[in-house]
């Protein structure tokens, strides 16, 4: 239970997490927008007829192998930390 050995093991585990995260895709987002809401207007404001309601779904796409390069870089970093652990 040498402190340097446990620290090196923690760095390897962190590198494994980074490599796992590097391979994940981005989450989609949903945006809700409500325009021309004049709730204080008298008489008789009609929400469905006098306001504009929008919903947008967005998904970010990675092209040209960006995710693969990110995973390769994280894997290389993980390999370095594994080799450093072996030196301890």
């Amino acid at each position: 239970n040498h402190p340097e050995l446990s620290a090196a093991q923690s760095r390897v585990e962190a590198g494994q997490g980074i490599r796992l995260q590097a391979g994940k895709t981005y989450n989609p987002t949903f945006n809700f927008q409500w325009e021309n809401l004049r709730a204080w207007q008298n008489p008789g404001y009609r929400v469905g007829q006098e306001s504009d309601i929008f919903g947008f779904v967005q998904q970010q796409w990675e092209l040209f192998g960006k995710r693969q390069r990110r995973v390769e870089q994280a894997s290389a970093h993980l390999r370095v930390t594994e080799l450093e652990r072996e030196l301890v």
Side-chain angles (χ1 to χ4, degrees):
N1 286 339
H2 194 273
E4 289 183 25
L5 185 58
S6 63
Q9 180 62 33
S10 295
R11 285 191 294 272
V12 168
E13 291 170 2
Q16 291 169 342
I18 290 171
R19 183 179 61 187
L20 178 66
Q21 185 178 6
K24 301 291 183 181
T25 59
Y26 292 104
N27 289 329
T29 59
F30 176 75
N31 300 310
F32 179 77
Q33 184 175 339
W34 194 334
E35 294 181 355
N36 301 325
L37 176 62
R38 296 180 303 276
W40 58 87
Q41 182 178 355
N42 276 327
Y45 176 73
R46 295 179 304 250
V47 173
Q49 296 176 351
E50 297 178 8
S51 65
D52 300 317
I53 302 171
F54 303 97
F56 304 94
V57 177
Q58 293 178 313
Q59 176 67 51
Q60 186 172 355
W61 297 92
E62 291 182 296
L63 303 174
F64 310 111
K66 287 183 181 179
R67 186 178 343 139
Q68 181 61 34
R69 286 194 302 270
R70 193 171 58 239
V71 170
E72 289 170 359
Q73 181 181 11
S75 296
H77 180 64
L78 175 61
R79 183 66 184 138
V80 168
T81 56
E82 288 171 341
L83 292 172
E84 288 174 346
R85 179 186 58 189
E86 291 178 13
L87 291 175
V88 174

